[in-house]
Amino acid sequence: MDTASKPVIRIAYCTQCNWLLRAGWMAQELLSTFGTDLGEVTLVPGTGGIFEITCDGHVVWERKRDGGFPDAAKLKQLVRDVIDPNRDLGHSDRKAKAEKPAG
């Protein structure tokens, strides 16, 4: 299987803050949703309060910039928007559409 052309997710997390379990859970959620559409999901230990998720080098979430941590549905939407914007995420998308104000 050629994984070289598939998206790569990197989750950098702070070991000082004990965010390994959170990072692992988010990796599991992404792998459960996107499966073999991803080339790899890598956990990258760091320090200094880092919690950053990138997809092919594009920052999809950064704790300080985005204010905390994404929930699973939001993270899946952000990754989907980078790797396959037309993909339907089922209940995650329906929930997000229901929460958007009419405008």
Side-chain angles (χ1 to χ4, degrees), residues 8 17 21 23 57-58 80-81 102:
V8 171
C17 301
L21 290 177
H58 171 80
R80 181 268 322 268
D81 291 349

Side-chain angles (χ1 to χ4, degrees), residues 40-54:
E40 67 183 64
V41 177
T42 305
L43 300 180
V44 183
T47 58
I50 189 169
F51 197 90
E52 181 179 271
I53 302 169
T54 61

Side-chain angles (χ1 to χ4, degrees), residues 3-89:
T3 59
S5 61
K6 294 183 180 182
V8 171
I9 305 289
R10 292 175 51 90
I11 303 175
Y13 66 95
C14 180
T15 58
Q16 295 168 315
C17 301
N18 295 314
W19 289 336
L20 171 59
L21 290 177
R22 183 185 304 266
W25 170 72
M26 290 187 179
Q28 178 182 326
E29 287 291 321
L30 292 174
L31 288 166
S32 294
T33 297
F34 298 104
T36 58
D37 292 336
L38 297 175
E40 67 183 64
V41 177
T42 305
L43 300 180
V44 183
T47 58
I50 189 169
F51 197 90
E52 181 179 271
I53 302 169
T54 61
C55 179
D56 287 342
H58 171 80
V59 177
V60 295
W61 191 271
E62 202 282 317
R63 183 186 67 82
K64 292 176 185 174
R65 179 192 76 185
D66 298 311
F69 302 95
D71 63 22
K74 180 66 176 174
L75 178 57
K76 291 174 186 181
Q77 291 164 358
L78 292 169
V79 169
R80 181 268 322 268
D81 291 349
V82 173
I83 69 172
D84 186 4
N86 295 319
R87 183 180 185 141
D88 181 15
L89 292 176

